[in-house]
């Protein structure tokens, strides 16, 4: 573990980095904590990802903004107390995008090999970022999070995995369901898992379900490509067979 203090001027600032024991990383997971915490909050998810993807780089970032309270030490991605949260989030996006790009460049990984996994405000930040910035990351795990407003567009080439507890009192399940249905209607590749008995927490069941989706969900565009390829191969086979028939 590498504790550090966040700074918007240091794109590679982080609390925790788990790297492959040998060789270069083939995937990058950037983990984003909730409002008022720091990157160490994401350690349970980091360890689970490390077990499943030993050749990946798993990095828990620290948010750039300190809480206004003098009595509570914590960090946030944007000012959740602002009168206009949407404007506050939009103002935070350029710096966030720069950090994601910097980590991808550090390991020489293209954007489809980069995944964002966030809890609460961190998940919200990830969802908003991939919609606003094309080709930023190939997957998003959003735990206990929903976008600020009903989506107007689907991120191109991105798989969205929404993971939520039915007992979450801070982010109502209706917001997550509405966002999921809207994104599906807009053509997004998306899964949504709502688990009973789970509140607003980085729960082990949500982590387990997220890992399952990463392992088993096949994006729609890959299905389309596979079907097209199969059709082309079938057509080629028929052509060869027709050429071999006696006249």
């Amino acid at each position: 573990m590498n504790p550090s203090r966040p700074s918007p001027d240091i794109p590679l600032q982080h609390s925790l980095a788990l790297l492959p024991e040998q060789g270069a990383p083939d995937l990058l997971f950037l983990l984003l904590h909730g409002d008022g915490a720091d990157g160490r909050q994401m350690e349970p998810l980091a360890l689970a990802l490390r077990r499943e993807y030993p050749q990946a780089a798993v990095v828990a970032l620290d948010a750039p903004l300190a809480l206004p309270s003098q009595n509570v030490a914590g960090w946030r991605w944007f000012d959740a107390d602002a009168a206009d949260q949407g404007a506050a989030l939009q103002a935070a996006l350029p710096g966030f995008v720069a950090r994601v790009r910097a980590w991808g460049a550090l390991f020489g990984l293209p954007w489809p090999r980069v995944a964002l996994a966030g809890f609460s405000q961190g998940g919200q930040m990830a969802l908003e970022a991939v919609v606003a910035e094309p080709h930023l990351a190939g997957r998003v795990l959003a735990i206990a999070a929903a976008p600020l407003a009903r989506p107007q567009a689907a991120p191109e080439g991105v798989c969205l995995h929404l993971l939520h507890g039915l007992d979450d009192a801070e982010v109502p399940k209706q917001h997550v369901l509405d966002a999921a249905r809207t994104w599906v209607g807009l053509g997004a590749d998306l899964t949504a898992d709502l688990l009973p008995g789970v509140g607003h927490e980085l729960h082990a069941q949500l982590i387990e379900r997220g890992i399952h989706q990463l392992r088993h969900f096949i994006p729609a565009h890959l299905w389309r490509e596979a079907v097209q390829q199969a059709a082309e191969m079938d057509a080629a086979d028929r052509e060869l067979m027709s050429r071999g028939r006696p006249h």
Side-chain angles (χ1 to χ4, degrees):
M1 189 173 294
N2 180 20
S4 55
R5 288 280 60 89
S7 167
D9 300 321
I10 305 177
L12 301 181
Q13 198 80 30
H14 61 286
S15 277
L16 172 67
L18 302 177
L19 304 179
E21 293 184 2
Q22 294 182 342
D26 59 4
L27 293 170
L28 170 61
F29 291 95
L30 294 177
L31 311 189
L32 317 170
H33 62 79
D35 190 10
D38 63 24
R40 290 170 292 184
Q41 181 187 48
M42 306 302 291
E43 186 172 10
L45 177 57
L47 295 175
L49 289 169
R50 177 60 182 274
R51 287 192 295 270
E52 293 294 324
Y53 299 94
Q55 203 58 35
V58 183
V59 181
L61 304 181
D62 288 325
L65 303 178
L67 289 177
S69 172
Q70 298 294 323
N71 300 319
V72 181
W75 306 87
R76 55 181 26 172
W77 301 99
F78 63 91
D79 185 0
D81 301 319
D84 188 341
Q85 285 194 39
L89 189 150
Q90 291 299 316
L93 280 178
F96 177 77
V97 168
R99 293 180 73 181
V100 175
R101 300 278 191 212
W103 278 103
L106 178 68
F107 296 115
L109 293 171
W111 69 270
R113 309 295 292 176
V114 176
L116 305 178
F119 170 71
S120 194
Q121 192 186 72
Q124 189 175 57
M125 194 75 182
L127 292 171
E128 300 284 357
V130 294
V131 172
E133 181 73 10
H135 300 167
L136 182 65
R139 297 246 184 179
V140 170
L141 291 178
I143 301 173
L148 282 178
R150 179 171 291 176
Q152 300 297 313
E156 181 181 353
V158 183
C159 296
L160 304 176
H161 303 293
L162 308 183
L163 304 151
H164 210 73
L166 287 174
D167 296 342
D168 191 327
E170 293 191 34
V171 181
K173 63 182 179 182
Q174 290 81 2
H175 292 179
V176 177
L177 288 170
D178 181 64
R181 293 182 182 120
T182 303
W183 263 318
V184 169
L186 292 168
D189 281 323
L190 180 143
T191 66
D193 293 281
L194 281 77
L195 303 185
V198 177
H200 191 76
E201 55 189 315
L202 191 62
H203 197 282
Q205 291 182 34
L206 296 176
I207 292 174
E208 181 182 357
R209 192 61 190 169
I211 297 291
H212 175 86
Q213 296 294 11
L214 288 172
R215 281 292 190 194
H216 298 289
F217 177 72
I218 300 177
H221 74 273
L222 293 181
W223 276 113
R224 291 192 294 268
E225 292 171 5
V227 169
Q228 182 179 1
Q229 184 178 30
E232 291 172 352
M233 293 176 64
D234 185 54
D237 289 342
R238 289 197 302 270
E239 177 67 18
L240 287 172
M241 291 177 65
S242 66
R243 290 180 182 177
R245 292 172 182 167
H247 297 287

